[in-house]
Amino acid sequence: MTISSQSSLAAIDQSIAASSSAIYAISDVRLEGLGPEHAEIMFEGLSDPAAYSYIREDPPVSVEALRAHYIRQIEEAPVGEGEAWINWIVRRASDGAPLGYAQATVGGGEALLGYHVFPRYWRRGVGKAALTLALARSFEDPAIHCARVAICTRNIASLELARSVGFVFDRLVEHADFFKGEWSDEYELVFPRPASAASRFEGTDSTG
């Protein structure tokens, strides 16, 4: 299930497929819209505490609480022009098994990307595929001039993953957040819009 080590843009060119229902796939990993109906299948994977060392969130306390969280994401999403919260479930393409989620917060011509892979699927190429897909999906919007990720400086694995996709260091944000009893510094990395992005994704379905 690991995607090849070729450059991310080449992988996008060769491997992305967008269906009429806006399912985006690369290798054996796909993205599709995440909603309250996915709470039950997401709960077990999101309950693993190993994934929460470097982020503010904690594991969901129940399926019902997770479903309510997904509903709030929809109800509280920004409605201004050029602004959006986009959330995807990351699935294994071969059997539909949930692997995690990815998200994009869009505004001001930028897309702030995030991803969460269930620990049981770490080091299998899932995170790299999910981030590559979220990046490609974001650049389908011609208003997006760059994508950005913000990663805790202690999260070495995630930093290496972002760099492997093609993100480059932009800045260090000290005391970016305070959670679990300590301050978290963050590295922000950016991926400028490729000159050919508009033609590369022209005509793909952008719903979902």
Side-chain angles (χ1 to χ4, degrees), residues 89-197:
I89 181 173
V90 181
R91 289 187 184 269
R92 188 162 52 212
S94 57
D95 62 6
L99 310 176
Y101 67 82
Q103 54 192 190
T105 302
V106 177
E110 295 188 350
L112 177 63
L113 305 183
Y115 56 90
H116 179 120
V117 176
F118 301 156
R120 74 181 71 171
Y121 299 113
W122 286 355
R123 293 178 291 276
R124 300 189 190 184
V126 175
K128 184 172 182 177
L131 183 55
T132 300
L133 287 166
L135 182 68
R137 169 63 180 82
S138 298
F139 284 136
E140 288 184 349
D141 182 348
I144 301 301
H145 61 78
C146 80
R148 185 177 297 272
V149 292
I151 300 172
C152 176
T153 56
R154 295 171 289 137
N155 193 348
I156 303 303
S158 191
L159 289 166
E160 291 178 348
L161 188 156
R163 291 191 183 105
S164 75
V165 171
F167 283 82
V168 295
F169 175 79
D170 182 41
R171 63 173 180 159
L172 168 65
V173 181
E174 296 182 342
H175 290 186
D177 202 354
F178 185 87
F179 57 89
K180 296 167 186 170
E182 60 183 323
W183 284 103
S184 172
D185 298 338
E186 291 180 347
Y187 289 127
E188 289 192 1
L189 294 86
V190 297
F191 194 119
R193 181 182 183 86
S196 59

Side-chain angles (χ1 to χ4, degrees), residues 25-112:
I26 187 170
S27 186
D28 196 29
V29 177
R30 78 186 193 204
L31 301 185
E32 59 184 81
L34 174 65
E37 68 274 16
H38 298 114
E40 188 168 354
I41 63 171
M42 292 290 284
F43 178 74
E44 181 180 358
L46 289 173
S47 296
D48 191 331
Y52 294 87
S53 298
Y54 307 117
I55 59 177
R56 166 179 287 278
E57 292 79 10
D58 292 311
V61 298
S62 67
V63 172
E64 292 72 20
L66 183 59
R67 184 177 295 109
H69 170 68
Y70 291 153
I71 291 172
R72 286 194 302 274
Q73 285 183 328
I74 296 171
E75 293 178 341
E76 298 174 4
V79 295
E81 184 176 353
E83 299 182 353
W85 293 347
I86 307 170
N87 296 280
W88 299 281
I89 181 173
V90 181
R91 289 187 184 269
R92 188 162 52 212
S94 57
D95 62 6
L99 310 176
Y101 67 82
Q103 54 192 190
T105 302
V106 177
E110 295 188 350
L112 177 63

